[in-house]
């Protein structure tokens, strides 16, 4: 059997549908974010408009200094799993910092936000007898995979629909463990969950709450702990999960919660037990980033200013973008081929990099360019971007929003 032919046939179908992914080969310029060198085709220098390093903390002097110092002290890798020689004092200090951030008793590090969701939901669902996981319909793939891996009964409730959640909770026997899993900021539409209402319904039916704050940590709340902090709800949420790879500018994931809950995940999760620990230098850099953003609001305020400016300029030109209260600006193309085409032209002719978001990340017919302005983008950057989009909108005969 010609296996390569089977692979190629499916790849060709992806390309015909406009959904084949091509990676941009970028080299970030230290100290010049959002500038990068493009080692692929098109413009040599590009301005990155779709980074999840939302605040530019990946190049902050405090963060880099902490990483350099830790490398000099400890070298590069951790040397093993957390259980076998891989636990460094820097890991424990970072976990204490995270527990303090979310005002929880304990925290646990993972190698990525994906792994922290997959491992934690998978463990909870598998180890709690008779557990039912109630998952928001738009939860991230990592949460979906964790639920699937757990083999627990699952119930999907309509996105951000508290009434639907309550109907489904009411139908589950009171004596069964229940976990309500949802996100605060949804990364593709940029909408924010009604956390208070969800928590109140979960409490009414004796359910745990599992909140993914990966797109919110560092960005919201007086100390950057996320939307739950902003709303004064952290103490009412059972488990808060987050990432170190977005607003904190490093890499890794984590969970926070009570000591028994965190110890339970630590002791039973294969995704934690059998994975090499994060490099100590990464832990040191992440801790420096968290500590800085606990004290500094400058980055968050600068970022919000740029978001408001870009939205206003898009409105002036009638370029449709989804309204939401978050930092994510989805500009709607609604055609996979044109979405890829516009992305390529922006890169090749204008030196502007924004990744096309197509199926299966978003439903067919909702293809988009997802912009994430940072405090380090300038007004001139915004002018150049909006001018380019206006030209391409006309060239591609795309419809404009009506004011």
């Amino acid at each position: 059997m010609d296996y390569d032919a089977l692979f190629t046939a499916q790849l060709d179908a992806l390309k015909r549908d406009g959904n084949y992914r091509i990676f941009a080969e970028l080299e970030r310029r230290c100290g010049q974010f959002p500038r990068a060198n493009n080692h692929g085709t098109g413009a040599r220098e590009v301005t990155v408009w779709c980074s999840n390093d939302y605040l530019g903390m990946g190049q902050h002097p405090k963060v880099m200094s902490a990483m350099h110092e830790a490398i000099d002290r400890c070298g590069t890798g951790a040397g093993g799993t957390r259980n076998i020689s891989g636990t460094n004092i820097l890991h424990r200090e970072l976990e204490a910092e995270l527990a303090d951030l979310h005002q929880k008793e304990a925290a646990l590090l993972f190698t990525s936000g994906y792994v922290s969701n997959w491992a934690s939901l998978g463990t909870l669902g598998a180890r709690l007898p008779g557990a039912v996981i109630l998952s928001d319909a738009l939860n991230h793939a990592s949460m979906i995979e964790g639920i699937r891996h757990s083999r627990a009964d699952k119930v999907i409730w309509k996105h951000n629909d508290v009434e639907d959640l309550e109907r489904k909770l009411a139908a589950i026997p009171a004596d069964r463990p229940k976990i309500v899993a949802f996100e605060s900021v949804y990364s593709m539409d940029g909408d924010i969950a009604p956390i208070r209402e969800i928590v109140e319904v979960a409490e009414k039916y004796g359910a745990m709450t599992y909140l993914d704050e990966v797109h919110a940590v560092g960005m919201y709340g007086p100390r950057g702990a996320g939307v739950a902090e902003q709303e004064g709800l952290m103490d009412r949420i059972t488990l808060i999960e987050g990432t170190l790879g977005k607003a904190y500018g490093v890499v890794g994931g984590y969970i926070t919660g009570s000591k028994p809950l965190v110890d339970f995940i630590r002791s039973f999760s294969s995704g934690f037990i059998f994975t090499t620990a994060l490099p100590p230098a990464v832990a040191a850099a992440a801790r420096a980033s968290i500590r800085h953003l606990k004290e500094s609001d400058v980055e968050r305020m600068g970022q919000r200013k740029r978001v408001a400016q870009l939205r206003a300029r898009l409105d002036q030109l009638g370029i449709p973008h989804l309204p939401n209260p978050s930092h994510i600006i989805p500009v709607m193309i609604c055609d996979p081929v044109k979405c890829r085409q516009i992305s390529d032209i922006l890169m090749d002719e204008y030196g502007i990099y924004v990744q096309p978001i197509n199926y299966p990340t978003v439903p067919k017919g909702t293809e988009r360019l997802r912009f994430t302005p940072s405090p380090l983008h300038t007004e001139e950057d915004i002018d150049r971007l909006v001018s380019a989009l206006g030209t391409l909108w006309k060239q591609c005969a795309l419809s404009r929003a009506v004011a």
Side-chain angles (χ1 to χ4, degrees), residues 104-115:
K104 297 294 186 185
E105 292 178 343
L108 188 67
L109 287 172
F110 291 85
T111 51
S112 72
Y114 190 104
V115 173

Side-chain angles (χ1 to χ4, degrees), residues 327-348:
H327 58 283
I328 295 166
I329 304 178
V331 169
M332 304 306 291
I333 310 297
C334 302
D335 179 289
V337 175
K338 288 183 178 180
C339 196
R340 163 58 66 183
Q341 182 182 42
I342 290 173
S343 172
D344 288 345
I345 295 172
L346 284 170
M347 175 80 96
D348 296 344

